[in-house]
C-alpha cells in the first residue's frame, strides 16, 4: 500500500469542463472528461488526504471517501473553489474552465430566423488566479496548462501571471493524451525546477504528480 504522505492535509481539486448557457437548450463547453482531475482526487485520498473534488458536468463516479461538489458554470466553480480553498493546504486546478460566457442567457429557445447570429461574451473570473491571490489562508496552488504550441513558454508565463506555485503543462495537440483520453503526459514547472512526467495512464501520472507536489510543498 502507498505511504500516506498526505495524511492530515486537505487537498481541493477542480475537474472537468464548465458549461456556459446560451438559452434553455444550448451551451458552450469543451472536451474535458474530468478523468485527470478524478484520478488526482482518487490518488490523493489513497495517499491519506482529505479531498474535496469540485466537478463540472462529467460522467464519472465519485472516488471512494472523496467529498464532491457538482457545479455547472465557471461562476459556480469560482464560488465553490474560493469557499473550499481557504480551508485547504493544496489547491489543484485541473478543470478546463470556459474563459468566456454569453452576456445574456436567453430565457426562451433562440429561433433560427437569421442566417447569421452572434453571441457576445464576457470573460469569466479566473478561478486559480483568485485562489492564488488569497492573502489569508492561501493554499499551495497548482495549475494546469493546456497548450497546442510553445508549451514551456506559455506554461511558465501562466504560472507567473497567475502567481502559481507549480504548473503542469500538457500538449493537447498530440492525439492519445490530454482531453478525454485515458493517458496523459505532463511537463511540470515550479520556481526553480522542472520535471517531465512521460506518457502514462492518468492514475499512474496522478501518483507521480502528487509525490512531486509533496516534495516541493515540503521544502
Ligand atoms: O478532463 P480530461 O479529459 O481528463 O483532460 C484533462 C485536461 C486536459 C483538461 C487537464 O489535464 C488540463 O490541462 N486542464 C486545464 C485545462 C485548461 O483550461 O487550461 P488553461 O491553459 O486554459 O488554463 C490554465 C489554468 O487556469 C488551469 O489550471 C485552469 O483550471 C485555470 N483556469 C482557467 C480559466 C479560468 N477562468 N479559471 C481557471 O482557474
Amino acid at each position: 500500500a502507498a505511504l500516506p504522505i498526505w495524511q492530515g492535509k486537505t487537498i481541493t481539486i477542480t475537474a472537468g469542463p464548465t458549461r456556459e448557457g446560451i438559452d434553455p437548450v444550448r451551451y458552450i463547453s469543451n472536451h474535458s472528461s474530468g478523468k485527470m482531475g478524478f484520478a488526482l482526487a482518487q490518488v490523493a485520498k489513497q495517499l491519506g488526504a482529505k479531498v474535496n473534488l469540485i466537478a463540472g458536468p462529467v460522467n464519472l463516479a465519485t472516488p471512494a471517501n472523496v467529498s464532491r461538489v457538482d457545479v455547472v458554470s465557471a461562476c459556480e466553480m469560482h464560488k465553490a473553489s474560493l469557499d473550499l480553498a481557504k480551508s485547504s493546504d493544496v489547491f489543484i486546478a485541473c478543470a478546463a474552465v470556459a474563459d468566456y460566457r454569453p452576456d445574456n442567457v436567453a430565457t426562451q429557445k433562440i429561433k433560427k430566423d437569421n442566417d447569421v447570429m452572434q453571441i457576445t461574451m464576457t470573460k469569466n473570473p479566473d478561478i486559480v488566479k483568485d485562489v492564488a491571490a488569497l492573502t489569508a489562508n492561501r493554499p499551495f496552488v497548482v495549475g494546469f496548462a493546456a497548450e497546442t504550441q510553445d508549451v514551456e513558454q506559455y506554461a511558465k508565463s501562466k504560472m507567473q501571471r497567475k502567481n502559481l506555485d507549480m504548473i503542469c503543462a500538457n500538449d493537447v495537440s498530440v492525439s492519445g493524451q490530454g482531453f478525454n483520453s485515458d493517458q496523459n503526459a505532463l511537463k511540470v514547472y515550479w520556481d526553480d525546477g522542472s520535471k517531465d512526467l512521460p506518457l502514462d495512464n492518468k492514475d499512474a501520472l496522478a501518483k507521480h504528480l502528487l509525490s512531486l507536489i509533496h516534495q516541493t510543498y515540503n521544502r
Side-chain angles (χ1 to χ4, degrees):
L3 282 173
I5 55 171
W6 285 109
Q7 192 89 57
K9 302 292 180 190
T10 299
I11 303 183
T12 296
I13 299 162
T14 67
T18 66
R19 268 183 202 170
E20 312 300 324
I22 297 170
D23 71 10
V25 300
R26 304 181 177 98
Y27 57 83
I28 290 171
S29 191
N30 61 65
H31 293 294
S32 171
S33 64
K35 286 176 189 171
M36 188 70 237
F38 275 57
L40 284 164
Q42 174 160 14
V43 172
K45 184 75 233 176
Q46 288 164 355
L47 295 175
K50 178 179 178 300
V51 181
N52 300 309
L53 176 59
I54 302 170
V58 297
N59 286 306
L60 295 173
T62 311
N65 302 313
V66 162
S67 163
R68 172 170 175 176
V69 178
D70 284 315
V71 297
V72 177
S73 66
C75 289
E76 288 171 22
M77 186 175 277
H78 183 259
K79 186 179 183 310
S81 296
L82 282 155
D83 281 352
L84 288 167
K86 291 169 193 152
S87 53
S88 302
D89 300 285
V90 177
F91 182 84
I92 308 177
C94 191
V97 183
D99 291 316
Y100 295 88
R101 65 176 180 279
D103 275 347
N104 301 300
V105 183
T107 52
Q108 305 297 329
K109 185 181 173 194
I110 298 169
K111 295 295 176 193
K112 50 176 186 290
D113 296 335
N114 301 316
D115 288 341
V116 174
M117 92 100 128
Q118 286 182 326
I119 300 174
T120 314
M121 300 178 78
T122 303
K123 203 171 220 175
N124 274 324
D126 192 316
I127 299 166
V128 77
K129 188 176 181 189
D130 287 352
V131 168
L134 286 172
T135 46
N137 304 315
R138 180 192 184 279
F140 185 90
V141 184
V142 181
F144 271 69
E147 306 294 350
T148 56
Q149 55 172 337
D150 298 331
V151 174
E152 173 167 0
Q153 189 196 323
Y154 280 123
K156 284 180 170 170
S157 77
K158 265 178 201 171
M159 175 164 69
Q160 276 185 350
R161 182 159 33 89
K162 302 188 187 209
N163 189 31
L164 311 178
D165 299 296
M166 195 178 243
I167 196 152
C168 314
N170 32 203
D171 188 336
V172 293
S173 69
V174 181
S175 72
Q177 64 181 62
F179 284 99
N180 197 24
S181 69
D182 290 328
Q183 296 195 312
N184 203 5
L186 297 171
K187 290 188 196 309
V188 187
Y189 303 97
W190 57 98
D191 58 348
D192 60 351
S194 69
K195 185 161 181 162
D196 263 30
L197 300 179
L199 189 69
D200 211 333
N201 290 328
K202 284 178 176 172
D203 53 351
L205 216 51
K207 268 180 213 144
H208 292 306
L209 181 57
L210 281 157
S211 124
L212 190 58
I213 295 171
H214 190 257
Q215 286 166 32
T216 314
Y217 172 79
N218 275 302
R219 284 186 309 171

